[in-house]
Amino acid sequence: MDKPGLTAFEGSLALLSVIVGGGIVGIPYANYTSGLDFAFSLYLIAPCLAFTSGYLFMTCKLIAPIKIETLYELGYFTMGKCSIYFISFIAIVCNQGFCMIYFIVFGQCAANVTRDIFYQ
């Protein structure tokens, strides 16, 4: 009998599809509302921050005396049990924010399309 729920691979694919789908919908709207200068500066800053955070995680993983595989393990090893709750809270807030942004942009686009279809 199959176990309920998603495997790690299926969960990763689901998360990736939500991020990519939200990005396809949200990035043009964010560029439109924020302006070209600010959007371009974010395009330069975001990869630098992503590289730096990945580099710091890999460096901490290599110098740790125990085998660390996840960010939760690194937080527990360096800051104790409360760090697991803190990292989980940050992940929940980010995911809720992504969902809210996705639904706001989708709602505005759907409202405009519906208005254009029915009120011409």
Side-chain angles (χ1 to χ4, degrees):
M1 177 177 252
D2 292 332
K3 63 181 181 177
L6 299 174
T7 64
F9 180 71
E10 292 169 344
S12 300
L13 286 179
L15 184 61
L16 181 66
S17 68
V18 168
I19 291 171
V20 170
I24 289 172
V25 173
I27 288 175
Y29 181 73
N31 289 340
Y32 175 74
T33 57
S34 66
L36 186 61
D37 296 336
F38 185 68
F40 185 71
S41 65
L42 286 179
Y43 284 135
L44 295 176
I45 293 171
C48 296
L49 292 175
F51 176 78
T52 303
S53 65
Y55 177 76
L56 288 174
F57 175 71
M58 295 305 290
T59 303
C60 291
K61 182 179 172 181
L62 290 175
I63 64 173
I66 63 171
K67 183 179 178 185
I68 293 177
E69 293 296 325
T70 65
L71 191 59
Y72 297 101
E73 292 174 357
L74 180 63
Y76 181 75
F77 178 70
T78 56
M79 295 181 282
K81 188 176 180 180
C82 66
S83 67
I84 295 173
Y85 300 114
F86 181 71
I87 294 170
S88 298
F89 175 75
I90 296 296
I92 289 170
V93 168
C94 288
N95 288 329
Q96 291 295 326
F98 292 147
C99 290
M100 288 171 46
I101 290 170
Y102 182 77
F103 285 123
I104 289 169
V105 171
F106 181 75
Q108 290 178 351
C109 291
N112 290 337
V113 168
T114 304
R115 189 178 321 115
D116 291 343
I117 290 173
F118 292 114
Y119 297 111
Q120 283 190 5

